[in-house]
Amino acid sequence: MRIAIHGRNFPESARPYIQSMFEELVKRQADVVISEGYREFLDKAGVAHYSEDTYSTTNGVADVDFIFSLGGDGTLLDAVTHVGPRLIPIIGINIGRLGFLATVAPPSIRLMIDALFNGQFSIDERSLVGVRASQDIFGTLPFGLNDFTITRTQTSSMITVHTYLDGEFLNSYWADGIIISTPSGSTGYSLSCGGPVLLPQTDNFIITPISPHNLNVRPMIVMDSCQLAFEVESRSGNFLAALDSRSFTVDTTVRISVQKESFKARLVKLSDDNFLNTLRSKLNWGWDIRN
């Protein structure tokens, strides 16, 4: 089995689990390839990874059976861009904080590896949001797992986002911005702005305004088979466009459209991985000091 590994820095408490992971992979004679940046971090941190094979995050990873993402949800979003349309299954190991996407706890890493080698897992396919624009914004990575956002720059006042649904005018959002979220991203930025939570397999986008001037403008759910298009007005003449954690300043003359990407991200789901359990755990549903 050939496994790619990508991650970020980790607390000292996670070191034994990460070291144990590499030792377990060596014991099982797995071929390991590590992202260049993470390899440098592991070397500086003194973690023995037993691998000389690296991959460039610019070119992405190929010819592997799985990719391990060690960190929080942000690290897993990075891994999605490393995989792109190659459909490599991604396993999120939660060494971060909240973790709606990265669901494997460090103490469970050995059990997770055992499940992979014994085929005791399923694949959870997640839809992606794809962005097209009249000017190249996101280069070779015009897709994201969580959301696409249009927001004002730090120095500008509110912006107006004229929004069209399948070519028909929908609304002009006078706000700090607008979020187009996938079901996977419904527990992210959209949720903090009042958007609903969607089950991961729902075939929808969420349109969530950010601090709208008109209080009667509410989040809206639309089918992900539609195409959304945007024209932005801003006193500063520009705005910020972001796909997951990648953001760029864009001129208001640029026209942008959003639709479901042609390929999906494939997340590994273990037998004890349940989205409803994750919601209850992370959002403290059902917990009340009165009870």
Side-chain angles (χ1 to χ4, degrees):
M1 186 177 290
R2 185 168 169 81
I3 295 173
I5 296 178
H6 173 65
R8 296 182 182 176
N9 59 338
F10 50 79
E12 187 62 27
S13 59
R15 177 189 294 271
Y17 299 110
I18 295 174
Q19 185 63 74
S20 174
M21 177 193 72
F22 283 110
E23 292 170 358
E24 184 70 17
L25 292 174
V26 168
K27 185 173 76 172
R28 293 178 180 268
Q29 298 182 329
D31 291 329
V32 175
V33 53
I34 307 172
S35 66
E36 290 176 341
Y38 195 51
R39 161 78 181 277
E40 292 179 5
F41 174 79
L42 292 172
D43 288 341
K44 292 179 181 178
V47 174
H49 48 73
Y50 312 106
S51 175
E52 299 298 324
D53 201 356
T54 61
Y55 74 89
S56 165
T57 57
T58 302
N59 298 325
V61 64
D63 300 323
V64 298
D65 298 294
F66 300 96
I67 179 169
F68 290 5
S69 166
L70 282 76
D73 285 355
T75 311
L76 191 143
L77 295 177
D78 290 341
V80 170
T81 66
H82 300 176
V83 169
R86 289 178 285 272
L87 303 180
I88 299 167
I90 304 169
I91 303 163
I93 300 170
N94 185 13
I95 303 176
R97 286 170 291 184
L98 199 53
F100 283 97
L101 298 171
T103 56
V104 177
S108 301
I109 290 177
R110 281 179 177 261
L111 294 176
M112 176 269 291
I113 294 174
D114 189 60
L116 292 186
F117 276 81
N118 290 318
Q120 297 171 336
F121 63 91
S122 59
I123 297 295
D124 189 7
E125 293 194 339
R126 300 291 185 94
S127 59
L128 304 170
V129 58
V131 178
R132 305 294 182 266
S134 59
Q135 174 183 309
D136 184 20
I137 301 174
F138 297 104
T140 60
L141 303 172
F143 57 87
L145 177 60
N146 265 6
D147 47 49
F148 168 70
T149 64
I150 293 173
T151 57
R152 67 183 183 89
T153 60
Q154 293 182 347
T155 58
S156 68
S157 57
M158 286 188 296
I159 59 177
T160 304
V161 185
H162 304 294
T163 304
Y164 300 84
L165 178 65
D166 285 334
E168 183 176 350
F169 177 67
L170 174 64
N171 190 18
S172 292
Y173 293 92
W174 188 13
D176 283 353
I178 189 173
I179 306 166
I180 308 301
S181 170
T182 66
S184 298
S186 69
T187 52
Y189 192 9
S190 175
L191 181 64
S192 69
C193 292
V197 174
L198 298 184
L199 296 178
Q201 282 70 41
T202 308
D203 296 325
N204 296 107
F205 286 137
I206 308 168
I207 305 173
T208 306
I210 305 170
S211 302
H213 181 70
N214 298 321
L215 297 181
N216 62 338
V217 176
R218 312 305 302 167
M220 181 179 180
I221 297 174
V222 299
M223 294 292 291
D224 65 8
S225 58
C226 72
Q227 182 185 74
L228 294 163
F230 310 97
E231 298 175 358
V232 182
E233 291 183 22
S234 171
R235 291 181 182 177
S236 65
N238 55 41
F239 60 93
L240 291 178
L243 259 174
D244 291 342
S245 59
R246 294 162 285 134
S247 63
F248 299 91
T249 301
V250 181
D251 191 272
T252 52
T253 59
V254 175
R255 300 293 178 261
I256 297 175
S257 66
V258 165
Q259 59 191 34
K260 182 170 67 174
E261 190 51 84
S262 59
F263 56 90
K264 295 185 177 183
R266 307 180 77 217
L267 306 186
V268 172
K269 183 177 179 180
L270 303 180
S271 59
D272 60 348
D273 186 359
N274 182 285
F275 182 70
L276 298 183
N277 289 341
T278 301
L279 282 180
R280 287 193 297 270
S281 172
K282 304 302 181 181
L283 299 180
N284 292 326
W285 285 1
W287 290 89
D288 192 320
I289 60 174
R290 296 172 297 179
N291 297 327

